[in-house]
Amino acid sequence: MNKRPVYPFVAIVGQDNMKLALILNIINPTLSGVLIRGEKGTAKSTAVRALAEILPAIEVVKDCPFQLSPGEALDVCRACPHIECSRKLLHQEPVETMHRGLRVVELPVGATEDRVVGTLDLEHALKKGEKRMEPGLLAAAHRGLLYVDEVNLLDDHVVDVLLDSAAMGVNTIEREGVSFSHPARFTLVGTMNPEEGELRPQLLDRFGLCVHIEGINDPAARVAIMERRLAFDDHPEDFCARWQDESRDLVEKIARAMELYPQVIIDSPLLYEIASYCLEVGVDGHRGDIIILKAAKTLAAFNGRTEVQKDDVDAAAQLALPHRVRRQPLQDIVVEVDRLRHQKTAQPAAGV
Amino acid sequence: MFNIAYPFAAIIGQDRLKRALILNAVNPAVGGVLIRGEKGTAKSTAVRALAAVLPRIKVVKGCPYACDPDQPWNLCPYCRHHLDRLPSAVRRVRVVTLPLNATEDRVAGGIDFSRAVKTGRRIFQPGLLAQAHRGILYVDEVNLLDDHLVDIILDAAASGRNLVEREGISYIHPCQFILVGTMNPEEGELRPQLLDRFGLCVEIVAEADIGQRAALMQLREAYDTDPQGFSQRFQPENDKIANEIQAACQLLPNVSFPPHLRTLVSEICIENHVAGHRADLVIEQAARALAALLKHHEVTVDDIREVASLALVHRQRHLAPPPPPPEPDHDHQPRPDHQPEQNLESNESPRPDQPESQAGSRNPEPEEISPDDQAALDRPAQDQHRRENAVEQIFAVGETFKVKKIASPRDRIRRRGSGRRSRTRIAQKQGRYVKSTTVLNTGDIALDATLRAAAPYQRQRTSGNGLAVVLKPEDLREKIREKRIGNFLLFLVDASGSMGARGRMTASKGAIMSLLLDAYQKRDRIAMVSFRHQEAVVNLPPTASIELAAHLLQEMPVGGRTPLSAGLAKTYELIRNYLLRECAGRPIVIIITDGKANVALGQEKPKAEALALAGRLSRDERLHCLVVDTESRGLVQFGLARELAAALQAEYFRIEDLKADTLVNIVKENVK
């Protein structure tokens, strides 16, 4: 393997919230993403790139441009440019599949719309005189992670496209003579520096979780960061080998949590607790409730439990609500949700 | 579909939304529904779920336009030629999704490229409008839809057919669809014409009941873990709804509308000050659908009452709409220039000839006086020296409101940038591909259009290199791209002592904050300059962070004299630097002041100097100025801001004129 080694995820110092949010999303892709808000140089990008190494494997049809699992979407296969495998699928013959890790697809800020959603395949049109669609980044990101660095700087019309597919898990193309739709369920991971301007509310809501990170103030931890970084830069292979065991432990823990997740149950008092949490803090819509429930269940699974506890709910709310709390226009995003809840519930009590 | 939709029956609450959708399914003549609501309130989920409960209709088998064999007068060209043998089939009404990034050729339809290459003939390939005939055309986030697509849809919706004249093709086919849109008003409002097209409108909010919310969470989680099992569990209930709708469809032609109720409908419409007559028709059709749904043969008063609210939400207008803003007054008579410049506050000369705009329905002054302003009121405003020595004050930000549309005029210059304020042609290879052109100058080839142009000639052309398509220079088409770019907004804020009087600063801050909010939605870059005491300060150099500006605004102190000319000079400096970098830029300068200049830069009188500077600023045509007059309305008015506006050739507003027309008034203006 001559791939350049990636800084191991487990070797990242601190930033526990961010790491937790990312891991929860791997265990449960329906959490629909993380938004990482923070200053420059706080290991945002490092963490996302490092994720690739600890992602679980999935089964995909070999060379499928849409990352489908066998038989997932025959409608797509019917119009797929890969004639060979689509023929096999439609005749219910076995197709070649392979196992590979989930992919992290990067969406650069300057990406054009046609590359994101897909477009007309020029080569094919010229050679064969037929229209065919060329899949874009959204097709590549299906079942994987779509990573947008500096998501707040993304062009507006690209954001519109993301909104659509992130919400519905389908990418519909009706452009340049091509009419096509294919599944596009991805975990949206975005990083942003709030100083450069805020995100549009609608897009903000599409991120399941939101974490706020800042530089670490503990001198010992800062030293550790420098030491590890230096060690990695000098001998990447050695460094990675040293962290291999911990990495493997984490991968196994994630795999166990994924197995456990369907068995996790939640008591109805806790459901009420979630609902009243959202009502008291003041959240638009129901996505906040749903995400807290999912995150709490995932947390329980990650900790090897099959029952959700009150702590899980509180921790989940910390991750799911900061960007959903109804704000005064132009007010900053709340960082500490639990304190806000105390404030809000304390006020009416004092009044009475 | 590869995604199993959330079952319609499993949606908790949102009864009005479900009712509105079902009414449309029963009676297409209702004319669609617009769903407005905050994020995460099952807007899109409900529409997608609707597909499974829609009634079945009879169509010509294999016809891409879903012609109705029982309506020989309303057929597509192909079916018309084969009237004698039209095989029919029965299928559910379709929901066709119009994605925001669709291009014109796919919406309206265009030449079929593959067949043109093979046969050398121009054959029409139906677009989304064809698929949506007799079905539902669904646009998610409809307020973000591009104008050129909105135009096509409006045209088709109004005429009931789609006429295509492009790429050497001339084709017409019937196109009657139900328009269903969802939108989050936070992202901006809808174009009035499009708004009026929607028969019904539902405003939805999240459930407030804890029990409902808990149930909702559980259902959603159950669906996400096992979509298939979940939808099977709800299948019987879903089928029940589908059957009810189907039965209502069959009953609908037999539902009668008692003539005396028509008077009631028109009374309701008049009572609610509804613009136009579409509401009357929509109410009648929706009431019939409701009656059919309830298995009645005659529409009752209750039916009408129930549907009226759905049909009137977006058409209603208030009893006393705010007066239309006065036109910017460029040519009002020059004032005799005899006032002492240093002591304007004490000048008592009343000005009866002042063009006084009619008082609005509300006067913001009395209710916006905070304790701070009371203090300001108590201070004798006449005393120049005391005012100057007074401690600087920081006023609260007053009430914010929605700002009316401010944009630079559209032109053909290509620009760079992004944002949402002014629409412009764009030179970079980004932005939305709107249409193609034969004029070549950017090198941004529109492949699809080029291929379509070349396709019919392929049988005559032969290639030596094994390619199926031979392109000639005359086939080449380029993309025309368009996007909205944010403008550069410069706020020039008067922070002098006179602004502190009588709560003006509170109201002004409210106005500035409103403009900032607007700038935020439109992704503008902004800068802020304020002037007080002897000088002008750049509080905020050009930035995209509106939050920063909002903070600064909250903390901006007020006090001292009014160096208006210094402010204008600083503005000139900033704008000049900006225009040097971006020669195609179109900055907008917003000046918030009462115009009472009393400090000069040089030897001239302050006011004359300010006006001269203003004249110089106005010479650059790329600059667009707005003057917001903060002078309070009373017996004594100086109208100095108005003079300043005239010198700048700027638009002139009072704070209350800045308020955007509400949703309702937009429609009203449009209908007029």
Side-chain angles (χ1 to χ4, degrees):
Chain A
M1 216 164 76
N2 42 18
K3 209 172 71 180
R4 206 171 64 89
V6 183
Y7 192 86
F9 188 78
V10 279
I12 295 170
V13 182
Q15 312 300 11
D16 296 325
N17 260 342
M18 173 178 72
K19 285 193 280 190
L20 180 63
L22 287 171
I23 290 172
L24 293 184
N25 262 293
I26 298 171
I27 299 171
N28 183 1
T30 59
L31 274 175
S32 64
V34 199
L35 175 66
I36 305 168
R37 299 162 55 87
E39 332 160 352
K40 281 269 158 213
T42 39
K44 295 184 297 243
S45 307
T46 311
V48 178
R49 299 221 168 87
L51 265 187
E53 298 294 306
I54 55 163
L55 288 173
I58 50 168
E59 189 187 16
V60 286
V61 175
K62 201 172 171 215
D63 294 334
C64 179
F66 301 100
Q67 332 299 330
L68 301 176
S69 62
E72 182 183 351
L74 291 177
D75 285 352
V76 176
C77 296
R78 233 165 252 141
C80 180
H82 270 261
I83 309 293
E84 191 50 32
C85 96
S86 68
R87 190 186 56 78
K88 275 189 194 160
L89 261 181
L90 295 176
H91 291 93
Q92 296 182 333
E93 290 167 27
V95 286
E96 228 178 309
T97 63
M98 56 185 271
H99 281 79
R100 59 157 178 76
L102 280 182
R103 245 188 231 154
V104 179
V105 176
E106 205 162 328
L107 172 65
V109 166
T112 54
E113 206 177 354
D114 51 346
R115 271 306 299 149
V116 177
V117 295
T119 184
L120 183 72
D121 185 343
L122 172 69
E123 198 182 321
H124 191 78
L126 283 179
K127 276 195 184 142
K128 298 275 164 64
E130 283 165 8
K131 267 186 321 201
R132 197 170 78 175
M133 98 94 153
E134 187 180 322
L137 287 176
L138 289 181
H142 178 50
R143 302 169 72 196
L145 258 72
L146 186 69
Y147 171 50
V148 196
D149 201 10
E150 308 287 348
V151 61
N152 48 342
L153 303 183
L154 207 59
D155 249 351
D156 251 16
H157 56 276
V158 179
V159 172
D160 293 345
V161 174
L162 278 187
L163 284 181
D164 236 27
S165 8
M168 289 307 149
V170 179
N171 176 29
T172 312
I173 308 162
E174 295 287 352
R175 47 186 288 130
E176 301 177 12
V178 186
S179 172
F180 198 79
S181 65
H182 64 84
R185 279 189 305 278
F186 47 85
T187 300
L188 190 60
V189 179
T191 62
M192 64 177 279
N193 185 349
E195 282 165 31
E196 309 237 357
E198 271 303 335
L199 269 189
R200 284 162 58 182
Q202 194 81 7
L203 182 61
L204 201 55
D205 196 49
R206 294 283 192 265
F207 287 96
L209 310 178
C210 171
V211 289
H212 198 91
I213 60 173
E214 42 197 36
I216 298 170
N217 286 328
D218 173 30
R222 290 189 86 106
V223 170
I225 293 175
M226 283 187 283
E227 279 172 358
R228 286 187 194 175
R229 189 74 223 184
L230 277 178
F232 174 76
D233 286 345
D234 287 347
H235 303 285
E237 279 91 2
D238 294 355
F239 187 78
C240 291
R242 233 180 302 149
W243 288 93
Q244 214 166 29
D245 287 349
E246 279 192 50
S247 274
R248 202 170 40 231
D249 287 351
L250 181 62
V251 171
E252 276 165 19
K253 199 173 170 193
I254 290 175
R256 270 200 306 277
M258 289 174 84
E259 268 171 45
L260 207 56
Y261 182 77
Q263 300 160 32
V264 177
I265 46 164
I266 181 163
D267 286 341
S268 107
L270 277 178
L271 279 177
Y272 279 78
E273 163 71 13
I274 295 175
S276 58
Y277 206 132
C278 289
L279 281 172
E280 279 163 19
V281 177
V283 178
D284 276 344
H286 295 280
R287 214 172 259 132
D289 305 36
I290 294 166
I291 296 290
I292 296 183
L293 171 63
K294 284 178 193 294
K297 281 178 70 179
T298 316
L299 257 176
F302 185 57
N303 292 326
R305 279 181 274 114
T306 53
E307 202 165 302
V308 178
Q309 295 173 354
K310 173 88 167 51
D311 294 351
D312 297 329
V313 173
D314 288 341
Q318 281 300 321
L319 294 171
L321 291 186
H323 56 308
R324 292 205 166 81
V325 172
R326 214 172 286 135
R327 294 175 287 156
Q328 285 302 308
L330 299 182
Q331 205 183 353
D332 284 332
I333 279 185
V334 199
V335 180
E336 285 167 355
V337 186
D338 51 348
R339 198 194 293 166
L340 180 83
R341 189 185 184 197
H342 282 301
Q343 276 173 13
K344 290 214 173 172
T345 44
Q347 273 164 5
V352 173
Chain B
M1 277 310 263
F2 13 83
N3 277 17
I4 296 163
Y6 191 85
F8 195 76
I11 297 171
I12 290 186
Q14 309 299 8
D15 293 323
R16 282 168 56 84
L17 166 62
K18 285 191 272 188
R19 179 49 58 87
L21 286 172
I22 290 176
L23 289 181
N24 269 294
V26 172
N27 185 359
V30 171
V33 55
L34 173 68
I35 306 162
R36 292 162 53 92
E38 56 195 27
K39 45 207 180 263
T41 42
K43 301 188 293 282
S44 310
T45 310
V47 180
R48 279 163 218 253
L50 182 71
V53 296
L54 286 171
R56 293 169 192 281
I57 51 169
K58 202 165 147 192
V59 296
V60 174
K61 204 173 173 184
C63 175
Y65 310 97
C67 286
D68 185 350
D70 297 336
Q71 285 191 1
W73 61 90
N74 198 9
L75 293 178
C76 72
Y78 178 85
C79 294
R80 222 180 298 139
H81 283 293
H82 301 79
L83 255 185
D84 40 340
R85 44 188 171 84
L86 289 178
S88 69
V90 172
R91 63 156 173 80
R92 272 194 204 288
V93 167
R94 257 193 223 139
V95 177
V96 177
T97 309
L98 171 64
L100 292 177
N101 63 343
T103 51
E104 227 175 280
D105 62 289
R106 277 303 306 147
V107 177
I111 192 172
D112 188 332
F113 167 66
S114 309
R115 281 165 77 186
V117 170
K118 290 199 181 103
T119 63
R121 277 168 42 215
R122 293 191 171 91
I123 296 165
F124 180 74
Q125 186 185 34
L128 288 177
L129 285 179
Q131 287 174 34
H133 178 49
R134 302 181 68 207
I136 290 177
L137 185 69
Y138 167 53
V139 194
D140 202 15
E141 315 280 352
V142 61
N143 48 340
L144 303 179
L145 194 65
D146 251 4
D147 271 354
H148 67 280
L149 292 184
V150 171
D151 292 338
I152 297 176
I153 291 170
L154 282 178
D155 196 31
S159 60
R161 49 199 196 135
N162 177 29
L163 174 65
V164 182
E165 294 284 357
R166 50 186 296 145
E167 293 161 354
I169 278 191
S170 173
Y171 201 84
I172 187 165
H173 66 84
C175 172
Q176 286 136 3
F177 52 85
I178 305 172
L179 194 57
V180 175
T182 60
M183 63 177 277
N184 179 354
E186 274 179 290
E187 298 266 319
E189 279 301 341
L190 208 59
R191 245 171 83 180
Q193 245 165 325
L194 189 57
L195 184 64
D196 196 45
R197 274 290 149 206
F198 290 97
L200 309 178
C201 174
V202 201
E203 305 253 0
I204 60 176
V205 288
E207 287 292 335
D209 178 59
I210 291 194
Q212 294 269 48
R213 284 186 91 115
L216 188 148
M217 266 185 275
Q218 268 180 313
L219 282 183
R220 181 73 210 190
E221 176 63 10
Y223 165 77
D224 277 339
T225 17
D226 178 17
Q228 207 155 6
F230 186 78
S231 61
Q232 266 163 17
R233 188 144 64 90
F234 276 89
Q235 196 64 47
E237 279 180 69
N238 237 16
D239 287 345
K240 198 171 140 245
I241 297 178
N243 291 339
E244 276 171 19
I245 294 177
Q246 187 77 51
C249 280
Q250 269 143 21
L251 186 63
L252 185 72
N254 304 324
V255 175
S256 66
F257 197 88
H260 68 272
L261 286 181
R262 293 221 162 87
T263 345
L264 173 71
V265 171
S266 51
E267 268 166 21
I268 292 177
C269 288
I270 294 168
E271 232 172 78
N272 284 290
H273 305 272
V274 170
H277 292 278
R278 203 190 295 271
D280 305 44
L281 301 174
V282 168
I283 292 178
E284 177 171 338
Q285 295 295 349
R288 286 183 58 218
L290 184 59
L293 206 58
L294 301 172
K295 300 195 171 59
H296 300 160
H297 285 271
E298 202 178 80
V299 174
T300 65
V301 178
D302 292 342
D303 296 339
I304 292 178
R305 293 255 177 245
E306 183 166 350
V307 297
S309 62
L310 292 171
L312 296 179
V313 179
H314 55 309
R315 298 203 167 85
Q316 199 170 18
R317 55 186 187 206
H318 297 297
L319 263 175
E327 284 299 308
D329 198 349
H330 292 310
D331 52 0
H332 79 116
Q333 62 270 59
R335 280 155 34 76
D337 201 3
H338 65 262
Q339 285 161 354
E341 303 293 346
Q342 287 295 323
N343 206 2
L344 287 169
E345 291 283 317
S346 61
N347 190 314
E348 294 286 341
S349 75
R351 297 187 33 77
D353 59 333
Q354 173 71 30
E356 165 82 59
S357 57
Q358 282 304 301
S361 53
R362 50 193 305 273
N363 186 352
E365 281 249 329
E367 58 208 67
E368 280 174 12
I369 293 184
S370 63
D372 281 6
D373 310 333
Q374 280 298 335
L377 253 174
D378 295 338
R379 280 184 302 144
Q382 288 91 341
D383 190 341
Q384 185 75 39
H385 294 287
R386 258 190 73 185
R387 193 145 48 82
E388 252 183 71
N389 298 335
V391 188
E392 284 176 352
Q393 297 192 333
I394 298 172
F395 291 95
V397 177
E399 186 198 351
T400 60
F401 47 83
K402 218 169 162 53
V403 179
K404 68 160 59 185
K405 197 170 158 194
I406 298 164
S408 349
R410 199 164 161 180
D411 59 22
R412 284 173 176 269
I413 300 173
R414 290 160 190 262
R415 295 186 172 77
R416 305 173 158 274
S418 73
R420 301 191 80 86
R421 187 175 294 275
S422 305
R423 181 171 291 279
T424 182
R425 295 276 160 88
I426 195 101
Q428 294 146 296
K429 288 188 182 178
Q430 47 169 273
R432 214 157 256 163
Y433 164 30
V434 184
K435 49 182 156 197
S436 58
T437 171
T438 50
V439 184
L440 308 179
N441 50 22
T442 58
D444 188 10
I445 303 292
L447 293 171
D448 57 323
T450 305
L451 288 174
R452 284 197 297 267
Y457 307 109
Q458 293 311 312
R459 280 169 68 94
Q460 285 99 54
R461 295 177 189 170
T462 45
S463 81
N465 54 8
L467 295 180
V469 179
V470 184
L471 296 181
K472 296 225 167 143
E474 65 265 27
D475 301 331
L476 284 183
R477 300 286 186 274
E478 270 186 9
K479 288 178 177 173
I480 294 184
R481 292 175 188 264
E482 209 173 71
K483 70 192 240 183
R484 284 177 193 275
I485 56 166
N487 282 58
F488 174 54
L489 298 189
L490 193 146
F491 289 85
L492 178 60
V493 184
D494 186 344
S496 66
S498 65
M499 292 285 286
R502 293 214 256 152
R504 271 182 222 162
M505 201 56 200
T506 309
S508 305
K509 279 190 175 179
I512 301 171
M513 189 59 103
S514 316
L515 288 163
L516 283 177
L517 280 176
D518 185 52
Y520 171 69
Q521 283 187 347
K522 311 261 167 60
R523 327 262 182 272
D524 294 315
R525 289 175 66 75
I526 49 161
M528 201 188 292
V529 177
S530 73
F531 56 94
R532 67 202 171 92
H533 290 311
Q534 305 293 328
E535 50 171 11
V537 195
V538 179
N539 298 75
L540 184 67
T543 171
S545 172
I546 311 279
E547 284 81 5
L548 214 53
H551 277 296
L552 274 172
L553 180 70
Q554 268 158 359
E555 288 155 16
M556 183 183 285
V558 167
R561 309 214 297 179
T562 315
L564 178 56
S565 356
L568 289 172
K570 197 60 109 188
T571 305
Y572 181 69
E573 220 173 275
L574 270 179
I575 291 290
R576 199 191 48 202
N577 286 344
Y578 169 78
L579 283 174
L580 279 178
R581 259 182 299 121
E582 314 242 345
C583 26
R586 287 177 298 180
I588 297 178
V589 175
I590 300 171
I591 304 173
I592 299 103
T593 181
D594 51 9
K596 289 170 187 157
N598 55 18
V599 177
L601 282 171
Q603 300 304 314
E604 274 180 89
K605 287 190 172 176
K607 190 181 143 195
E609 189 187 67
L611 290 183
L613 269 171
R616 220 160 103 207
L617 264 176
S618 74
R619 247 176 272 157
D620 197 321
E621 282 178 2
R622 291 171 289 184
L623 186 64
H624 181 78
C625 287
L626 285 129
V627 173
V628 180
D629 190 352
T630 59
E631 189 176 40
S632 49
R633 195 173 278 163
L635 281 175
V636 188
Q637 284 190 330
F638 299 102
L640 296 168
R642 191 177 276 270
E643 264 181 79
L644 179 69
L648 278 168
Q649 296 180 16
E651 284 181 72
Y652 170 84
F653 295 99
R654 291 176 168 283
I655 289 181
E656 53 270 27
D657 297 337
L658 272 178
K659 287 179 196 174
D661 303 324
T662 53
L663 182 67
V664 174
N665 290 316
I666 298 174
V667 180
K668 181 196 72 186
E669 257 174 38
N670 170 53
V671 172
K672 258 182 197 168

